[in-house]
Amino acid sequence: AQSVAQPEDQVNVAEGNPLTVKCTYSVSGNPYLFWYVQYPNRGLQFLLKYITGDNLVKGSYGFEAEFNKSQTSFHLKKPSALVSDSALYFCAVRPLAGYQKVTFGTGTKLQVIP
Amino acid sequence: DGGITQSPKYLFRKEGQNVTLSCEQNLNHDAMYWYRQDPGQGLRLIYYSQIVNDFQKGDIAEGYSVSREKKESFPLTVTSAQKNPTAFYLCASFSVNTQYFGPGTRLTVL
């Protein structure tokens, strides 16, 4: 069975500092990996995805994520946090082959402090 | 949220009533999904449909039902058999390895 772990319920970071939101996964075979962001009472917005190729993936709003196969991780990063980045972030995984079931982590609340 | 609409945004239900949540998409995607979101639990899959007139149970299908008569529409009915239906419900479609989400419906049981 596939799974996603987001070990931190909340991450606090000062505005202008770099941020990291952690994600590890478990899946049979090669993974597709995703990051989504959710603002209060809204749907999820797609940020970025890893399918194959370069381990560093760049996405929307200056976010990037690094795929590490040996550590089965896909941490979300941004060099300089903005107050407007404060939101709930979800990591998700699905296997490369087979039916399109996507499994989500429990989410990490990012709080950027002015 | 573009391309997928959900209605209503807020819904109140009395115990023992069935309610239907609407999900419509104009993205021409074959696959559609319903998720339930509860605080601290992430998203849990209720039902999914990979093609018109076909759908499959997800991880928490008990107390829910769906239909997929048209490609554009995937309504979810929350029945009286669902013991704890108060939650935020998200509809999504899938194409080119990415899911696209609607804005959600918040259901509250009074």
Side-chain angles (χ1 to χ4, degrees):
Chain A
Q2 60 200 54
S3 64
V4 175
Q6 292 182 244
E8 302 153 316
D9 291 335
Q10 181 159 334
V11 170
N12 297 322
V13 63
E15 186 177 24
N17 282 4
L19 70 87
T20 298
V21 182
K22 295 179 181 178
C23 171
T24 59
Y25 67 91
S26 173
V27 70
S28 297
N30 292 320
Y32 285 146
L33 292 157
F34 308 86
W35 276 103
Y36 290 86
V37 61
Q38 184 181 36
Y39 296 96
N41 292 312
R42 301 289 299 276
L44 274 66
Q45 296 177 30
F46 170 76
L47 277 180
L48 52 82
K49 67 183 176 185
Y50 171 83
I51 298 176
T52 187
D54 195 347
N55 289 344
L56 185 63
V57 179
K58 294 188 183 297
S60 306
Y61 313 120
F63 283 93
E64 58 189 28
E66 185 167 12
F67 171 62
N68 188 316
K69 188 172 184 177
S70 63
Q71 297 185 5
T72 62
S73 67
F74 190 56
H75 301 329
L76 181 70
K77 300 182 180 184
K78 188 174 182 181
S80 179
L82 301 172
V83 172
S84 58
D85 292 330
S86 298
L88 188 60
Y89 290 81
F90 288 96
C91 181
V93 68
R94 62 155 282 207
L96 199 67
Y99 122 74
Q100 302 155 347
K101 179 178 179 180
V102 180
T103 298
F104 288 82
T106 53
T108 297
K109 183 178 180 181
L110 174 66
Q111 190 74 36
V112 181
I113 304 162
Chain B
D1 299 348
I4 301 178
T5 57
Q6 290 186 242
S7 61
K9 186 172 177 65
Y10 298 97
L11 186 58
F12 298 91
R13 188 195 93 173
K14 294 182 180 179
E15 284 193 22
Q17 286 183 334
N18 293 355
V19 289
T20 298
L21 282 59
S22 169
C23 176
E24 303 281 331
Q25 56 107 352
N26 62 4
L27 301 169
N28 201 34
H29 292 169
D30 286 318
M32 297 186 74
Y33 303 77
W34 274 106
Y35 291 93
R36 170 180 171 142
Q37 184 179 15
D38 297 281
Q41 295 194 46
L43 276 67
R44 293 184 289 169
L45 182 64
I46 304 172
Y47 268 97
Y48 65 97
S49 169
Q50 293 187 281
I51 199 167
V52 174
N53 292 322
D54 183 64
F55 50 84
Q56 305 293 332
K57 293 182 178 179
D59 301 320
I60 56 163
E62 184 175 354
Y64 300 98
S65 65
V66 294
S67 63
R68 188 82 188 279
E69 297 176 2
K70 299 186 300 182
K71 190 175 188 177
E72 305 79 26
S73 179
F74 191 41
L76 173 74
T77 297
V78 184
T79 74
S80 56
Q82 169 50 234
K83 300 302 181 187
N84 185 21
T86 294
F88 190 51
Y89 291 86
L90 288 162
C91 178
S93 67
F94 192 102
S95 181
V96 196
N97 303 313
T98 302
Q99 278 193 311
Y100 299 87
F101 285 84
T105 293
R106 185 165 297 280
L107 173 64
T108 302
V109 174
L110 303 173

